[in-house]
Amino acid sequence: MRDSFPALATTVTGTGPGLLLAHGATGSIEGNFAPVLPALAAAHTVVAPDYPGSGETPVAGGPLDLDELTDAVVDSAVRRGVGRFAVLGFSLGTLVAVRAAVRHPERVTALVLTAGFARPDGHILGLLPGWRAEEPPALRPHIDLIPTLDITGDLAEVAVPTLVVATTADSMVLPEGSRTLAAGIRSARYTEIDSDHVVMVERPEEWLKPVLDFLHSLSLSEGKDGEGE
């Protein structure tokens, strides 16, 4: 990792199995996940890093790179003693989550992918110039990263249980992006919520139900796997 890439400011809350959060471009843990953090932390050790330029994390000294960002997000958990975890990604964070499962299979136990995509379509790319003009300079590298992204080839390599949550009224990331993720990941579960992009803020209870049910099912499965050992 570049010397100019900062350590990510990270909070850890709750107890239980590890759950690593990956937020969206120009977002933050607070902005994307605040309404649902208490419910997630009720049964999980939630590791919540902010990307460079977000929250308390300094700006990186150069353009962002998906592998470097992914490794930094994973490292934020490992440095805090959480060595294995599910990754819950939102928007850009879905690509971080998938790449984490491929680059760090010994650490990633499951994925939850919300309002995501495998590569930016024409709709997303058409939004970028106006979006970039609206954001402060510290967050523009997030937007500049998006045209470089393509995890299509990673999807078939994901070998952990995965839940994909599509936002069907999304004005930023069309639901086809989530459908592509679900179709490409072996045995992925798929559900839809009638919401705009930041569903965790707009419809937190409706989002929490399938997510917590999925995470709970993983705990039950791990318990059965461990019987008789």
Side-chain angles (χ1 to χ4, degrees):
M1 192 175 294
R2 284 177 286 147
D3 292 340
S4 59
F5 198 95
L8 305 184
T10 302
T11 60
V12 181
T13 55
T15 58
L19 181 62
L20 176 60
L21 304 186
H23 65 74
T26 74
S28 65
I29 292 298
E30 177 71 19
N32 289 171
F33 293 109
V36 299
L37 276 173
L40 294 174
H44 298 85
T45 301
V46 177
V47 181
D50 280 308
Y51 301 162
S54 291
E56 298 300 317
T57 303
V59 178
L64 295 182
D65 168 82
L66 181 60
D67 285 347
E68 194 170 33
L69 178 60
T70 298
D71 291 350
V73 168
V74 168
D75 189 58
S76 72
V78 175
R79 282 175 176 268
R80 288 157 181 85
V82 183
R84 282 175 57 79
F85 37 77
V87 186
L88 194 163
F90 165 68
S91 194
L92 169 62
T94 63
L95 292 95
V96 172
V98 168
R99 186 58 56 88
V102 172
R103 286 177 68 81
H104 302 279
E106 75 285 1
R107 298 200 180 279
V108 176
T109 60
L111 300 178
V112 177
L113 310 175
T114 296
F117 57 98
R119 61 185 175 193
D121 60 12
H123 177 76
I124 295 173
L125 293 174
L127 296 173
L128 298 186
W131 188 14
R132 192 177 190 279
E134 294 171 358
E135 293 294 342
L139 294 177
R140 289 174 190 161
H142 296 197
I143 300 168
D144 294 341
L145 174 63
I146 292 172
T148 73
L149 298 173
D150 188 348
I151 58 161
T152 306
D154 294 343
L155 301 182
E157 296 184 46
V158 174
V160 293
T162 300
L163 171 67
V164 177
V165 182
T167 42
T168 58
D170 200 322
S171 57
M172 180 170 289
V173 178
L174 301 180
E176 284 74 17
S178 289
R179 293 169 188 150
T180 297
L181 294 175
I185 296 174
R186 185 168 57 253
S187 302
R189 304 184 199 181
Y190 176 81
T191 191
E192 296 182 346
I193 299 175
D194 182 19
S195 170
D196 205 348
H197 193 51
V198 192
V199 60
M200 300 83 63
V201 174
E202 183 175 331
R203 299 198 171 206
E205 295 302 324
E206 195 170 343
W207 178 84
L208 278 166
K209 185 177 190 322
V211 170
L212 293 178
D213 286 350
F214 173 71
L215 294 173
H216 182 61
S217 75
L218 300 177
S219 298
L220 291 177
S221 176
E222 288 171 3
K224 290 178 181 177
D225 291 344
E227 288 177 2
E229 291 183 356

